Amino acid sequence: MHRTDLYFDEHRLGIVAPSARLPQSEAYMTSQLDTIARRARPSSALIICCLVAISSLNLAWEHQVILTQMVKVSEYYDFAARAPFIYRILPAFICRLVFLGRANAATGLPVPLDSYYSVFQLALDAICLATAFVFMARITRQLNPDLPNAINVSVAGAAALMIVVFGYFMVPNNAYFYPYDFPDLCIAAIVFFLCITAGRTAEILLPAAVYVATLNKETAAFYTGLYLIVAIQRHSNWKRVAIVLLACVAAAILARATILFWLRRHGLDSVASGSQAEVHLSYTIQQIKNPLFLFSLMNICSYLYLPVWAMRKRFDRTDWLILALILGWIIIVATFGIVRQLRLYVPASLLLFVIIARHLSATIATLEPRFAPALARLRGDVSPGGRA
């Protein structure tokens, strides 16, 4: 007698030879193994979160260790820094709230774990870097809703890494540490996201973001210029646009008044008696005569001007207005900042990133015939076995 096996079929209970059910069993087992492998594989979101957390913590650590501290952490958080640094109060104010006004204490550990203030600065920088990446990814997703998330996140991550590395660390001159730099990057990314987002909620949150940003740096109100440019593109209601812009100006003025009130209430009038801004225009004019000046500006805006230049044939009126806004920012830096400190051009780098994000879909469509297999895998159009 031939050997037979019992098995459950989908429709009936039957007795079949092993050779008759072998192909079906192989297909079933292959399907089950693929399902188990997909479930066992860590999700892409978890991997991205881990990478962002590790990278942010590492960059925040090196921010205090590698860079030259132009503003000492202990002096800044004790409100003992000279003007105009003492007016950039946001990180120190948050620290006072976190530690409930308690004084600093040494830990006996190496930098950046040598004091409570340094540990707080480390945590603040890491959180700000991670948040900046999140909102840069949201900008690309907002401007390219049809692209896969893998492409939007990859472009945002690459741009964020370039902005941080070439804006703060790998500069052709001295790299300086300021406690409010990474919070400025974070808040600028949030403000730019609100500027390009349509809806009443974003317009309500924008003045609040400007208030917080101005507590960190006095030039933050300039970021709202992107809102005006986007309003021109969308042909928005000008009465509503004017109300939002006036609210942003009022928020900036209120923030400066809050800073002055805080300093006077805590008896810091003598420390904060200096000007709220420094004019460095004469220094900028002198630097133009320096033959190494142009070399020092080669990685201005973290080299993001290179992909923007490659996209120039796609520019519309909105792009040219954003470039005009960047030119205005450079004029501000040349007048009130040290023009060779490339960290000051980080907001301009974010504006260049907005231009790149605006043309990302068109650029991907142009490159799609060349990278069709890779794009198909990102979209999930290819089966695990390699067949569409």
Side-chain angles (χ1 to χ4, degrees), residues 215-372:
L215 291 177
N216 189 69
K217 208 168 183 182
E218 62 275 5
T219 53
F222 184 84
Y223 303 160
T224 57
L226 182 61
Y227 172 77
L228 177 60
I229 293 173
V230 174
I232 295 174
Q233 175 197 4
R234 293 173 177 164
H235 304 284
S236 303
N237 185 331
W238 286 110
K239 182 178 179 180
R240 187 171 178 176
V241 172
I243 293 174
V244 173
L245 291 177
L246 287 175
C248 291
V249 173
I253 296 174
L254 179 61
R256 303 311 295 176
T258 302
I259 293 172
L260 295 175
F261 174 78
W262 169 269
L263 295 177
R264 289 172 181 171
R265 184 173 182 179
H266 290 79
L268 298 172
D269 299 62
S270 58
V271 180
S273 58
S275 173
Q276 296 191 32
E278 294 179 340
V279 179
H280 295 280
L281 184 59
S282 59
Y283 174 81
T284 301
I285 296 175
Q286 292 176 1
Q287 287 298 310
I288 295 176
K289 303 175 184 179
N290 188 345
L292 297 178
F293 177 69
L294 293 179
F295 173 78
S296 66
L297 294 181
M298 283 185 62
N299 64 334
I300 187 175
C301 297
S302 303
Y303 295 108
L304 291 182
Y305 60 85
L306 296 176
V308 169
W309 172 260
M311 297 176 177
R312 67 189 183 281
K313 294 183 179 179
R314 304 181 185 274
F315 282 4
D316 55 16
R317 181 178 63 176
T318 301
D319 298 311
W320 291 111
L321 289 175
I322 294 176
L323 289 176
L325 187 65
I326 293 174
L327 178 61
W329 179 258
I330 293 175
I331 293 174
I332 291 176
V333 170
T335 304
F336 298 102
I338 299 177
V339 70
R340 295 180 62 178
Q341 290 193 16
L342 300 183
R343 43 174 282 277
L344 299 175
Y345 300 95
V346 166
S349 303
L350 286 172
L351 288 172
L352 289 179
F353 168 73
V354 172
I355 295 179
I356 295 172
R358 292 189 72 243
H359 300 284
L360 184 58
S361 294
T363 303
I364 294 296
T366 303
L367 300 175
E368 190 167 7
R370 185 178 302 177
F371 301 99

